[in-house]
Amino acid sequence: MKTIRLPDGTAVRALGQGTWMMAEDRRRRAEEIAALREGIDLGLTLIDTAEMYADGESERLVGEAIEGRRDEIFLVSKAYPQNASRDRPPRACEASLARLGTDRLDLYLLHWRGSVPLAETVEAMERLVEAGKILRWGVSNLDTDDMDELVASGGAACATDQILYNLTRRGPEHDLLPWLAGRGITTMAYSPVEQGRLVAHPALRTLAEELGATPAQVALAWLLAQGDIIAIPKAGRSAHVRENRAAADLTLDTEVLAHLDELFPRPEGRVPLEML
């Protein structure tokens, strides 16, 4: 499977597992844990979660799924904006670690920007690195202007910007993606299949049938072909995990990529970064 190098040289799989909207129904808990474990078995070892997801239950779900296999996992979680001040991140991080059943995070992100000055967030993140609670830090949902401010606030060590990016959300291609690439900051794409809505796109369905694939696989394969992008689709069933994993082996030729550009053209001009 394709790997992506983080700014510090660490190699991670380009296709991971997201957990947004998991752990919200206890009747599905066993099925969701089984799906995460199957993903690990298939090489989808980057797992993304957040303290916000299901009010912390997603972290507990992930903790149960990775029990006994922590060292195989590149574990990502995210902090609420109000927990990104100078003093609150240690408590928020410790709570996430407890729910996950681990002593460290591989990557800790500011979930979105709030009222806390970015300089405070940078200071707090760096202290967590020094304390060994996190190995690296990054942000989520920050646009180009925000990233400029982050770096100017001492945040040059930012490893990742996790953003909404998929076939229907191509605005970041105008300036944010080039900005990140130019500074060696990795892009992580959430909702790569637009929360499943791309699966129902008629033209994408037709193209997928011609390729002997599913619409979700084509959407993921397109994203993985865009460069140093990490995609984190959510899959709560093992069959869905296997479908996602197969997308990593789907190669789209230049003709198909050009056709996808026609079906899903990027905006003609810059648009603000979108969020879900």
Side-chain angles (χ1 to χ4, degrees):
M1 190 190 303
K2 179 181 178 182
T3 59
I4 303 295
R5 295 235 170 235
L6 299 178
D8 64 4
T10 301
V12 298
R13 299 292 173 86
L15 186 61
Q17 300 187 80
T19 60
W20 187 18
M21 295 185 291
M22 293 176 72
E24 296 185 351
D25 184 347
R26 292 200 63 84
R27 293 171 299 180
R28 299 192 57 198
R29 188 177 186 84
E31 182 179 39
E32 290 174 339
I33 289 173
L36 287 169
R37 289 174 175 168
E38 175 134 7
I40 297 169
D41 291 340
L42 293 173
L44 307 182
T45 51
L46 185 150
I47 299 179
D48 174 84
T49 186
E51 66 173 345
M52 183 192 80
Y53 297 168
D55 293 326
E57 282 302 314
S58 174
E59 290 180 322
R60 292 189 179 93
L61 181 86
V62 170
E64 187 173 343
I66 68 173
E67 186 176 1
R69 306 185 68 174
R70 174 63 183 93
D71 291 342
E72 300 175 49
I73 309 303
F74 188 93
L75 190 56
V76 185
S77 194
K78 298 182 284 290
Y80 276 118
Q82 62 267 29
N83 285 334
S85 63
R86 182 174 289 108
D87 300 321
R88 295 185 70 172
R91 293 193 298 273
C93 183
E94 286 289 359
S96 287
L97 293 175
R99 288 189 290 267
L100 287 160
T102 185
D103 62 350
R104 84 272 182 204
L105 289 169
D106 296 289
L107 179 62
Y108 196 35
L109 307 180
L110 167 66
H111 206 153
W112 65 89
R113 187 172 186 181
S115 60
V116 175
L118 291 176
E120 285 194 27
T121 301
V122 170
E123 180 182 339
M125 290 293 195
E126 292 293 351
R127 286 180 177 175
L128 287 172
V129 172
E130 291 173 5
K133 300 298 182 179
I134 66 175
L135 301 187
R136 55 193 67 77
W137 64 270
V139 295
S140 181
N141 296 302
L142 264 63
D143 209 344
T144 312
D145 291 345
D146 300 310
M147 294 302 298
D148 275 326
E149 184 179 342
L150 180 75
V151 172
S153 300
C158 176
T160 303
D161 190 6
Q162 185 181 118
I163 62 172
L164 177 61
Y165 180 49
N166 60 45
L167 279 167
T168 63
R169 310 276 189 162
R170 298 185 61 178
E173 294 177 17
H174 279 283
D175 60 346
L176 180 56
L177 292 183
W179 190 100
L180 294 169
R183 289 157 181 80
I185 298 174
T186 305
T187 300
M188 190 178 295
Y190 72 83
S191 295
V193 191
E194 189 65 12
Q195 293 185 305
R197 289 184 285 272
L198 273 167
V199 173
H201 191 283
L204 184 60
R205 290 178 68 92
T206 298
L207 176 60
E209 289 175 5
E210 294 171 356
L211 296 173
T214 67
Q217 287 171 338
V218 175
L220 287 172
W222 173 84
L223 194 54
L224 296 175
Q226 298 310 302
D228 288 342
I229 307 287
I230 299 169
I232 48 170
K234 187 267 287 187
R237 296 176 293 107
S238 293
H240 191 183
V241 171
R242 292 191 292 271
E243 177 187 356
N244 287 346
R245 171 60 183 85
D249 298 325
L250 177 62
T251 300
L252 306 179
D253 62 28
T254 55
E255 183 178 347
V256 171
L257 291 171
H259 185 42
L260 287 169
D261 282 339
E262 294 173 358
L263 293 175
F264 303 96
R266 75 178 188 174
E268 293 184 1
R270 186 189 184 282
V271 296
L273 181 65
E274 299 172 286
M275 289 177 56
L276 285 176

